[in-house]
């Protein structure tokens, strides 16, 4: 591969043994680039990889892709491999992300590897060691969940390198409003006049009031003031008695929010509850 430093190893590979190239498999070294380079040259290692990256951006190629490297057991015949300097639990550095993207873009041009994330040995694209399970050596923590989460970014960069339109990074979902149950109970038991303006729970009260209003249980006149007064208590009691709220009866429908009924309200109106 042009752009990689060619450091051929004399042992630990199968000459002309690559039967196909389904994609590129990402690994973590659990060590350094220099240490891995030295280990692959030792016949006792019985291990190798086609490529390897360093945290600062070095890219080595140890094995020609017509030859079979020994990186992922039964996956060696049909996948090429890239080891990455670091330890389990690490993320790839920006330089490593770019280098792996270059390998993937090259594999796309030379071997027809599709620019997509793969999740199983029968797939095609950019995969990871753990996806092969026991057949690939049972390395369930290689390269680690943090690096697996980076695979879409590598694909995005590879698409840019090959002139394709990269997928736009997904916008993070807006955070759901959170209601603290303990503060809401405090509000419900407090005198309405004392509750006014207490920001520690007023925001949560307003969220619940808006939900009760949407359920048709609380007049707009009382919704949104941040005070869990007697009218809101009555409205919440009506929610508790409703089928959707839990069909509570008697003392169980006292208008004071409990975890079960509040979570039912949250599920219908897009907020979350902390106990």
């Amino acid at each position: 591969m042009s752009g990689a430093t060619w450091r051929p190893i004399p042992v630990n590979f199968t000459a002309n043994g690559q039967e196909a190239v389904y994609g590129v498999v990402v690994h973590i070294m659990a060590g350094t680039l220099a240490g891995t380079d030295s280990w692959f040259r030792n016949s006792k290692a019985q291990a190798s990889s086609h490529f390897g990256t360093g945290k600062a951006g070095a890219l080595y190629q140890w094995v020609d892709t017509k030859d079979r490297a020994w990186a992922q057991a039964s996956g060696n015949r049909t996948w090429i491999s890239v080891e990455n300097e670091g330890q389990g639990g690490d993320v790839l550095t920006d330089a490593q992300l770019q280098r792996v993207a270059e390998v993937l873009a090259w594999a796309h041009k030379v071997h027809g590897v599709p620019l997509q994330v793969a999740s199983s040995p029968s797939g095609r694209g950019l995969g990871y060691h753990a996806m092969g399970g026991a057949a690939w050596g049972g390395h369930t923590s290689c390269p680690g969940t943090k690096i697996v989460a980076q695979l879409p970014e590598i694909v995005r960069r590879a698409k840019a390198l090959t002139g394709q339109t990269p997928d736009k990074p997904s916008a993070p979902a807006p955070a759901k409003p959170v209601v603290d149950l303990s503060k809401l109970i405090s509000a419900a038991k407090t005198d309405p006049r004392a509750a006014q303006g207490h920001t520690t729970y007023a925001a949560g009260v307003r969220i619940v009031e808006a939900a009760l209003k949407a359920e048709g249980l609380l007049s707009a006149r009382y919704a949104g003031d941040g005070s869990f007064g007697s009218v809101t208590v009555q409205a919440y009691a009506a929610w508790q008695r409703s089928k959707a709220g839990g069909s509570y009866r008697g003392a169980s429908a006292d208008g004071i929010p409990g975890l079960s009924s509040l979570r039912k309200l949250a599920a219908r109106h897009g907020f979350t509850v902390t106990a």
Side-chain angles (χ1 to χ4, degrees):
M1 172 186 165
S2 176
T5 300
W6 176 233
R7 292 185 60 82
I9 54 176
V11 292
N12 301 323
F13 69 93
T14 305
N16 298 307
Q18 199 65 35
E19 298 176 13
V21 178
Y22 289 179
V24 177
V25 178
V26 176
H27 298 253
I28 191 74
M29 290 178 184
T32 65
L33 182 62
T36 300
D37 180 75
S38 177
W39 181 236
F40 284 169
R41 297 175 192 284
N42 187 331
S43 60
K44 294 180 181 179
Q46 295 291 291
S48 63
S49 177
H50 289 100
F51 298 94
T53 74
K55 284 183 175 290
L59 176 62
Y60 288 178
Q61 183 171 3
W62 290 295
V63 178
D64 193 301
T65 55
K66 67 180 175 57
D67 301 325
R68 186 188 308 170
W70 300 346
Q72 59 268 335
S74 68
N76 292 332
R77 298 179 301 102
T78 51
W79 293 79
I80 61 177
S81 44
V82 53
E83 287 278 359
N84 296 278
E85 184 175 50
Q87 300 291 333
D90 286 356
V91 296
L92 297 183
T93 65
D94 186 74
Q96 286 177 305
L97 291 173
Q98 190 63 26
R99 285 307 220 170
V100 178
E102 290 171 10
V103 172
L104 179 60
W106 178 84
H108 172 70
K109 293 176 181 178
V110 174
H111 296 290
V113 172
L115 299 182
Q116 62 188 24
V117 174
S119 59
S120 74
S122 60
R124 301 290 189 278
L126 182 67
Y128 55 98
H129 194 179
M131 77 181 190
W136 283 20
H139 294 264
T140 57
S141 59
C142 180
T145 56
K146 292 180 180 178
I147 293 176
V148 172
Q150 293 180 297
L151 299 187
E153 172 60 16
I154 294 171
V155 170
R156 190 190 71 80
R157 294 186 185 204
K159 286 183 176 181
L161 289 169
T162 58
Q164 298 184 32
T165 302
D167 298 328
K168 293 182 179 179
S170 299
K176 290 184 177 181
V178 177
V179 171
D180 185 323
L181 178 62
S182 64
K183 292 184 174 65
L184 192 59
I185 290 174
S186 174
K189 292 181 177 179
T190 300
D191 180 88
R193 290 166 295 179
Q196 293 282 358
H198 282 232
T199 57
T200 55
Y201 56 69
V205 173
R206 291 190 182 96
I207 292 168
V208 173
E209 287 176 331
L212 293 173
K213 175 186 172 185
E215 293 288 334
L217 301 174
L218 184 64
S219 167
R221 175 183 174 186
Y222 298 102
D225 65 1
S227 169
F228 212 108
S230 59
V231 175
T232 306
V233 169
Q234 292 173 16
Y236 197 87
W239 164 252
Q240 290 169 320
R241 290 192 297 269
S242 71
K243 183 176 180 180
S247 301
Y248 295 101
R249 295 292 181 268
S252 296
D254 59 1
I256 306 300
L259 187 58
S260 177
S261 64
L262 188 57
R263 281 183 171 165
K264 287 182 171 65
L265 190 64
R268 288 166 66 91
H269 296 280
F271 62 92
T272 59
V273 182
T274 60

